[in-house]
Amino acid sequence: MFKKKPFFNGSGQNSFPSRIPMKEPNARISITKAIGDRLPSDGEIVIVCIGTDRCTGDSLGPLVGTFLEKENLKRTTVYGTLHTPVHATNLEETVYRLKTEHKDAFIIGIDACLGKVSSIGSVVVDSSPVKPGAAVAKELPEIGDMSIGGVVNAGGYMEYFILQNTRLSMVYDMAKLISRSLKLALNQEKNSIA
């Protein structure tokens, strides 16, 4: 059984999500710290990278998963890559596998999301599950003890079209940043992240 760290801000209240623009000078350090502060101190960790390679904007999760599967991550299992994506049609099957094969694991859900124009290019680290399909009004199961989302484009109108027409270069750079930050957070002690 994992020991989940309570995440509090300076006033002792549950914190809001950490929202870090990827162009911020110390973005990798900030994202690594936001992830590390929310990770349990022990136990198995499962990373579920949600999305599909058939849609540029929705390829963030599979790209992160592909980058992470090449790493030697401590106590970690990765689901969702470009070759074996986790998406709307197999998400419930993946949730079942998690419940049967990883009962006591701490689960991190990763997915692309749409947001305000001013938030495009931001990485959002939250102490709540990821809600796949929310941007395109799909009812899919929530997943994770924490979530990492990448705001890949603006939402509000014609979401499928917007996801299809998202720049791959930005999604690729964001996926690299998230995977490197996760690797640092998982392979280092908390006090060496700062």
Side-chain angles (χ1 to χ4, degrees), residues 16-21 24 119 122-125 151:
F16 293 104
S18 297
R19 198 173 301 271
I20 301 117
E24 180 182 290
S119 296
S122 293
V123 175
V124 182
V125 182
V151 183

Side-chain angles (χ1 to χ4, degrees), residues 17-22 31 34-35 38 47-50 57-58 60-61 64 108-115 119-132 143 146-153 170-171 174-175 177-179 182:
S18 297
R19 198 173 301 271
I20 301 117
M22 61 187 268
I31 295 166
I35 294 167
R38 290 168 170 87
I47 302 171
V48 182
C49 302
I50 301 162
D58 204 25
L60 177 73
V64 172
I108 302 171
I110 300 175
D111 199 4
C113 58
L114 300 175
S119 296
I120 295 172
S122 293
V123 175
V124 182
V125 182
D126 198 357
S127 300
S128 64
V130 70
K131 297 172 179 94
I143 191 162
M146 71 175 277
S147 59
I148 302 171
V151 183
V152 297
N153 215 326
M170 198 256 311
V171 175
M174 185 179 283
L177 177 61
I178 292 170
S179 62
L182 264 166

Side-chain angles (χ1 to χ4, degrees), residues 11 20 24 38 41-42 45 54 61 93 107 116-117 120 123 131 135 137 155 169 171 187:
S11 66
I20 301 117
E24 180 182 290
R38 290 168 170 87
S41 55
D42 62 0
I45 294 175
R54 295 179 182 218
E93 173 188 326
I107 299 169
K116 296 176 184 176
V117 172
I120 295 172
V123 175
K131 297 172 179 94
S169 62
V171 175
N187 284 342

Side-chain angles (χ1 to χ4, degrees), residues 60-81:
L60 177 73
L63 280 168
V64 172
T66 299
F67 296 145
L68 288 176
E69 78 174 345
K70 298 174 183 175
E71 302 294 340
N72 184 21
L73 301 174
K74 297 176 183 176
R75 62 188 173 111
T76 304
T77 304
V78 177
Y79 285 91
T81 65

Side-chain angles (χ1 to χ4, degrees), residues 68-111:
L68 288 176
E69 78 174 345
K70 298 174 183 175
E71 302 294 340
N72 184 21
L73 301 174
K74 297 176 183 176
R75 62 188 173 111
T76 304
T77 304
V78 177
Y79 285 91
T81 65
L82 289 172
H83 295 290
T84 56
V86 173
H87 45 65
T89 58
N90 67 3
L91 185 63
E92 289 189 19
E93 173 188 326
T94 303
V95 169
Y96 177 78
R97 282 188 73 186
L98 295 173
K99 288 180 179 176
T100 56
E101 297 175 25
H102 307 280
K103 291 178 187 176
D104 296 325
F106 182 85
I107 299 169
I108 302 171
I110 300 175
D111 199 4

